[in-house]
């Protein structure tokens, strides 16, 4: 296991700045300080925005093949520093090492797909001859960069969710200023270190962990043309209300449901449910939180799911065999443990788990949870799932929809008509048939409806947000 650097800089206008060592980054398992990071103040953020504005024209003029070269350089360097990235993530996020390696793989995928898309940002020709009066007119549309972008990324996927903002920005020709989560800034700073090895125009990127008093500039400053935020609904909707005229993309989480229909291969479904509910200690906005099993197989599903859950190894995320590591903080573990106790006090049955030791929360299954309980209504964001039986497929789809969130849903069924009905009925951004809602690949459109946000991640869709159409009309006399 690597030892982190003693201190990390922030990156202002492509350059490392060791301004201070104000931010302590802890090993989330031991609780000890693992390293220190420079924090940016409001003046630094203001300077970063100025530099981003100066970089708008040089970035827009940067030929697509040169943007592609930058992204391909990053892919190569991520491969070379694979274990460093994974082990850093394991320390700063408390993410089990096998999950950490998986995230580095997705980081590479995201930059690779962005490199491919860089040379496919095309326009179109429009037939304008729709009447006698427009005879001889033709339209041509091209896509141009929207300009300087503000990015705010969360703690749970510090590499990949930063990548879903950074890589499309480079592909689009947009300079950006990124605020990584203060609990997990190291991954974003390593990405910045690798970008600094390239010849991107001065001001093309800044990566700035920052104090709260300066962070408002990421939202309210009108010099930014786009704000992309991933985080909690309460924060996200507040940012949108204060963002002014800029475009806003929000990915705000969910409480994903998974339906296990009567014709399901139960062995397959159980394996995927264990992954979906408990990978990276449940700290995923598409983690399986609500499980609905058909009454014909519900008892077997419950029994076997409990058996598998009780066998999951929890402990030090650096251990190759660990499946459940710590939550991001003891405070978050206390919050979710309180929701479990609330559900039990209101009549729910604890099937397994339910204990907490500091930031470590046992993988937990509950049954018969009243609908008004927090563990059903809110986003758990931890290793807890609730089970319920169902009889009627149409009715269970309504139960899935009975939520303030709508990010993704999973449906295990072999019935084509039921699969199509789920797709037509469910109020979510994505329906995954034959797998858990936690499945995602980085070139697909990803995002939600209702309190889960607006807009879509996924490289091609992010590029569409970071560019705008420009029309030329040609008249042939």
């Amino acid at each position: 296991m690597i030892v982190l650097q003693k201190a990390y800089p922030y990156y202002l206008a492509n350059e490392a700045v060791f301004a201070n060592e104000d931010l302590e980054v802890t090993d989330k398992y031991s609780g000890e300080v693992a390293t220190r990071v420079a924090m940016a103040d409001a003046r630094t953020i203001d300077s970063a925005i100025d530099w981003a504005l100066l970089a708008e024209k040089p970035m827009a003029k940067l030929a697509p093949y040169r943007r592609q070269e930058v992204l391909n350089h990053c892919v190569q360097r991520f491969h070379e520093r694979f274990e460093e990235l994974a082990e850093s993530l394991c320390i700063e996020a408390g993410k089990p090492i096998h999950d950490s390696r998986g995230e580095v793989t997705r980081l590479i995928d995201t930059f690779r797909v962005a490199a491919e898309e860089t040379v496919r940002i095309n326009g179109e020709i429009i037939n304008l001859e729709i009447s006698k009066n427009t005879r001889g007119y033709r339209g041509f549309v091209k896509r141009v960069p929207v300009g300087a972008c503000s990015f705010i990324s969360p703690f749970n996927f510090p590499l990949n969710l930063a990548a879903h903002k950074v890589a499309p920005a480079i592909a689009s020709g947009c300079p950006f200023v990124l605020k990584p989560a203060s609990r997990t800034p190291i991954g974003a700073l390593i990405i910045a270190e690798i970008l600094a090895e390239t010849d991107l125009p001065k001001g093309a990127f800044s990566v700035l962990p920052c104090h709260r008093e300066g962070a408002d500039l990421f939202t309210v400053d009108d010099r930014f043309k786009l704000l992309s935020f991933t985080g909690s609904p309460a924060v996200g909707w507040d940012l949108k209300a204060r963002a002014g005229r800029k475009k806003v993309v929000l990915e705000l989480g969910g409480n994903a449901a998974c339906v296990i229909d009567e014709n399901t291969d139960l062995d397959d479904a159980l394996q995927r449910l264990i992954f979906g509910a408990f990978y990276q200690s449940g700290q995923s906005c598409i983690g399986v939180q609500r499980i609905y099993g058909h009454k014909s197989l519900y008892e077997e599903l419950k029994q076997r799911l409990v058996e598998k859950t009780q066998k999951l190894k929890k402990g030090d995320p650096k251990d190759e065999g660990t499946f459940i590591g710590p939550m991001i903080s003891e405070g978050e573990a206390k919050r979710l443990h309180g929701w479990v106790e609330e559900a039990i006090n209101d009549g729910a049955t604890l099937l397994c788990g339910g204990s907490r030791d500091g930031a470590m929360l046992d993988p937990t299954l509950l049954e018969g949870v009243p609908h008004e309980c927090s563990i059903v209504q809110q986003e758990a964001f931890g290793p807890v799932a609730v089970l319920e039986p169902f009889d009627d497929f149409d009715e269970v789809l309504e139960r899935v929809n009975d939520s303030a969130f709508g990010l993704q849903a999973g449906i295990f069924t072999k019935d084509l008509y039921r699969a199509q009905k789920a797709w037509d009925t469910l109020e979510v951004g994505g329906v995954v048939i034959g797998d858990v809602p936690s499945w995602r690949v980085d070139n697909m459109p990803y995002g939600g409806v209702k309190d889960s946000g607006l807009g879509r991640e996924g490289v091609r869709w992010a590029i569409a947000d970071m560019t705008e159409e420009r029309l030329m009309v040609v008249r042939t006399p």
Side-chain angles (χ1 to χ4, degrees), residues 20-287:
N20 54 68
E21 297 182 3
D22 288 354
L23 176 61
E24 293 182 346
V25 179
T26 60
D27 179 317
K28 298 306 183 291
Y29 180 68
S30 70
E32 297 176 353
V33 175
T35 187
R36 296 176 183 272
V37 169
M39 291 279 273
D41 57 16
R43 180 180 296 180
T44 303
I45 300 166
D46 181 72
S47 176
I49 302 171
D50 278 340
W51 277 110
L53 290 184
L54 291 173
E56 283 184 339
K57 288 184 179 179
M59 281 292 286
K61 291 179 180 179
L62 199 63
Y65 77 89
R66 292 191 59 198
R67 301 176 197 167
Q68 187 179 58
E69 287 173 350
V70 169
L71 292 163
N72 282 332
H73 171 81
C74 292
V75 169
Q76 177 184 339
R77 296 291 282 134
F78 295 152
H79 275 294
E80 292 169 356
R81 299 178 67 173
F82 189 100
E83 282 301 312
E84 177 191 355
L85 285 160
E87 292 171 7
S88 300
L89 179 57
C90 182
I91 292 169
E92 70 168 340
K95 186 173 298 197
I97 187 62
H98 59 86
D99 287 334
S100 295
R101 292 190 183 111
E103 183 168 347
V104 179
T105 299
R106 292 185 59 194
L107 165 72
I108 292 169
D109 284 346
T110 301
F111 271 76
R112 177 177 54 80
V113 172
E116 295 166 355
E117 290 292 336
T118 301
V119 293
R120 294 201 289 257
I121 304 175
N122 300 315
E124 63 178 314
I125 300 173
I126 305 174
N127 181 2
L128 301 179
E129 294 183 306
I130 61 172
S131 69
K132 181 179 179 180
N133 292 336
T134 60
R135 188 169 67 86
Y137 287 85
R138 285 175 289 177
F140 301 85
V141 176
K142 65 177 179 178
R143 301 203 69 87
V144 299
V146 72
C149 296
S150 169
F151 298 149
I152 303 175
S153 60
F155 73 80
N156 61 320
F157 284 92
L159 289 172
N160 196 44
L161 292 182
H164 271 281
K165 304 178 191 303
V166 169
I170 295 169
S172 304
C174 291
F176 65 88
V177 184
L178 167 67
K179 178 191 177 301
S182 295
R183 289 167 169 166
T184 55
I186 305 304
L189 293 172
I190 294 175
I191 293 173
E193 181 184 344
I194 291 170
L195 285 174
E197 298 169 352
T198 71
D199 61 352
L200 283 171
K202 177 74 171 174
F205 70 93
S206 296
V207 177
L208 302 175
C210 65
H211 296 287
R212 192 174 293 271
E213 75 260 13
D216 268 359
L217 290 173
F218 282 87
T219 303
V220 301
D221 199 300
D222 284 336
R223 289 172 291 177
F224 284 124
K225 312 306 189 300
L226 177 143
L227 166 64
S228 178
F229 169 84
T230 304
S232 71
V235 175
W237 293 120
D238 175 66
L239 296 185
K240 181 177 181 295
R242 298 189 293 117
R245 295 174 294 178
K246 64 180 67 67
K247 295 171 71 174
V248 177
V249 179
L250 302 176
E251 200 281 277
L252 304 179
N255 60 357
C258 192
V259 175
I260 317 301
D261 200 11
E262 62 204 87
N263 56 20
T264 298
D265 178 343
L266 201 52
D267 290 337
D268 176 61
L270 284 162
Q271 179 182 356
R272 299 302 296 157
L273 285 169
I274 286 291
F275 163 79
F278 302 123
Y279 79 109
Q280 68 169 46
S281 306
Q283 295 174 115
S284 168
C285 47
I286 46 176

Side-chain angles (χ1 to χ4, degrees), residues 343-403:
I344 294 170
N345 290 337
D346 286 350
T349 299
L350 178 66
L351 299 177
C352 65
S355 297
R356 180 184 68 84
D357 180 10
M360 296 290 300
L361 184 65
D362 285 349
T364 300
L365 294 172
L366 296 164
E367 180 183 43
V369 180
H371 183 71
E372 64 273 10
C373 286
S374 298
I375 197 64
V376 175
Q377 292 289 323
Q378 303 300 320
E379 180 178 36
F381 221 68
V384 180
V386 301
L387 279 72
E388 286 187 32
F390 76 92
D391 186 17
D392 180 82
F393 190 77
D394 291 348
E395 185 268 338
V396 80
L397 295 182
E398 293 306 313
R399 277 198 255 172
V400 173
N401 281 341
D402 190 9
S403 170

